[in-house]
Amino acid sequence: MMHFISVQDLKVQEILAIFRRTDTLKKKPIQPLLKDKNLAMVFQKPSTRTRVSFEVAMNHLGGHALYLNSHDLQMGRGETIADTARVLSRYADAIMARVFSHKDVVELAARSGVPVINGLSDLLHPCQALSDMYTIHEKLGRLRGLKLAYTGNARNNVTHSLCHACSKLGMNMSVTCPPKHAPDKAVLRDSMANAKATRTVLEVTPDPKKALKGADIVYTDTWFSMGNRPSRIEENALKPYQLNSSLLRHAKRGALVMHCLPAHRGQEITDDVMDGPQSIVWDQAGNRLHVQKGLLSLLV
Ligand code: CP
Ligand code: NVA
């Protein structure tokens, strides 16, 4: 594995190796595995978790992270992604990038001489899904055979990476959304092929009750990606998919509630569910740090 652009690019063995390394680093957080290494972090969009977890991860591993806001780079004045990649990879040992357009992170990886990590694009959020799989395994002791239900706007970077991850790792996944907000076709095609190989079910249904039936985990994310504003019509279409206590009752008793955060409380998720006893969102966010370390220490 040279870059980490998509969960779909990883072999199951590579994912499990990241989890094993994460376990070790979670038990003993400070280890100089990346002493004097530098991670350049390019952000075209805001971030709390991704930025801070990568930066602290590099510090814990004995290295250093540089926060580079794209507006402050010459990229903000039109220097191309390809030229930026060629230069940054001569200074830093790895690049992490959060971009608007997925093709930008692909281009960055193609032109970079050092590993590139996708810190979120419009299409995928692989670091989030990797960390979420780790969290589910930590909480429930296994992945294979579990069912994750995703409710909300499923044309979403997190949903897409979860489709890749669940289907690769042997988890059943039921996505429920209005037909207009269904996952990307290519992501579904790849994930369906994974699901066939792992003999799991990946389904998309407009019926939230059906999707949540028997679910061990119920997941939601913002209805609209950072910077996008939904129309009133779109918001109304998404309302039946809000993760609230009456919908949650359709999942297994005690099903775990997950959200990648930031949450829009009262929109895709209600306060009582987010702050309720089934919610694991804070441990989920916390694990971003540990999994980032597992990933960085194997990739860089
Ligand atoms: N979940 C996540 O990636 O959060 P940030 O946008 O705060 O990085
Ligand atoms: N789907 C969300 C994820 C935020 C971490 C977004 O793109 O804004």
Side-chain angles (χ1 to χ4, degrees):
M1 152 178 68
M2 164 75 181
H3 305 293
F4 181 45
I5 303 300
S6 168
V7 174
Q8 187 62 12
D9 300 336
L10 294 191
K11 298 188 183 76
V12 171
Q13 285 315 319
E14 290 174 320
I15 298 176
L16 299 180
I18 294 169
F19 290 174
R20 281 195 297 276
R21 178 60 68 84
T22 303
D23 281 337
T24 314
L25 286 161
K26 201 168 171 176
K27 284 190 197 105
K28 192 171 172 238
I30 314 290
Q31 295 192 40
L33 300 173
L34 296 183
K35 189 165 165 4
D36 300 330
K37 301 280 185 201
N38 286 288
L39 174 71
M41 308 193 298
V42 178
F43 281 91
Q44 291 181 349
K45 292 176 143 193
S47 168
T48 299
R49 281 141 288 266
T50 304
R51 175 186 174 176
V52 178
S53 61
F54 268 105
E55 190 159 338
V56 174
M58 283 304 289
N59 289 339
H60 282 183
L61 295 172
H64 181 73
L66 297 92
Y67 173 72
L68 305 167
N69 184 317
S70 62
H71 298 295
D72 300 333
L73 294 172
Q74 297 289 13
M75 261 169 78
R77 294 173 55 235
E79 187 168 20
T80 66
I81 286 273
D83 292 351
T84 306
R86 289 180 179 109
V87 174
L88 288 181
S89 63
R90 281 170 167 77
Y91 302 140
D93 302 285
I95 301 169
M96 191 275 287
R98 168 165 287 195
V99 298
F100 282 96
S101 166
H102 188 69
K103 66 177 181 9
D104 281 356
V105 72
V106 172
E107 171 88 351
L108 197 65
R111 304 294 172 193
S112 166
V114 298
V116 171
I117 298 170
N118 178 2
L120 179 147
S121 67
D122 56 349
L123 188 69
L124 301 173
H125 195 356
C127 296
Q128 182 68 50
L130 199 61
S131 181
D132 292 340
M133 293 296 116
Y134 181 83
T135 301
I136 294 168
H137 191 273
E138 188 177 55
K139 295 281 178 193
L140 298 178
R142 67 189 171 109
L143 295 175
R144 190 159 285 282
L146 294 175
K147 176 177 177 181
L148 183 147
Y150 184 96
T151 181
N153 182 351
R155 186 166 285 272
N156 168 295
N157 40 22
V158 173
T159 323
H160 293 156
S161 288
L162 288 172
C163 285
H164 286 150
C166 288
S167 58
K168 271 197 175 227
L169 293 168
M171 282 176 65
N172 302 302
M173 183 167 172
S174 197
V175 176
T176 184
C177 54
K180 215 182 135 221
H181 298 277
D184 175 80
K185 282 202 173 71
V187 168
L188 268 185
R189 193 190 52 229
D190 289 345
S191 305
M192 291 288 186
N194 297 341
K196 197 168 170 214
T198 55
R199 296 171 188 232
T200 52
V201 175
L202 171 60
E203 61 168 10
V204 182
T205 168
D207 180 351
K209 291 177 191 155
K210 177 171 178 251
L212 264 71
K213 194 167 186 301
D216 301 281
I217 302 115
V218 186
Y219 200 120
T220 192
D221 181 19
T222 175
W223 284 345
F224 290 90
S225 189
M226 281 171 259
N228 294 349
R229 276 195 67 80
S231 70
R232 185 51 58 100
I233 296 170
E234 288 175 311
E235 251 185 84
N236 285 340
L238 285 158
K239 274 188 183 146
Y241 302 90
Q242 180 190 63
L243 183 48
N244 52 39
S245 53
S246 71
L247 182 59
L248 185 58
R249 270 196 283 278
H250 293 276
K252 257 190 197 161
R253 184 192 287 265
L256 302 179
V257 168
M258 298 182 78
H259 190 306
C260 62
L261 308 179
H264 302 73
R265 288 166 176 264
Q267 199 173 56
E268 76 271 5
I269 190 165
T270 52
D271 284 332
D272 57 338
V273 170
M274 174 114 167
D275 300 325
Q278 291 169 247
S279 167
I280 58 163
V281 300
W282 311 118
D283 288 344
Q284 179 186 359
N287 274 338
R288 292 290 306 277
L289 169 64
H290 306 294
V291 179
Q292 242 71 285
K293 284 156 76 174
L295 174 69
L296 285 165
S297 69
L298 290 173
L299 198 66
V300 180

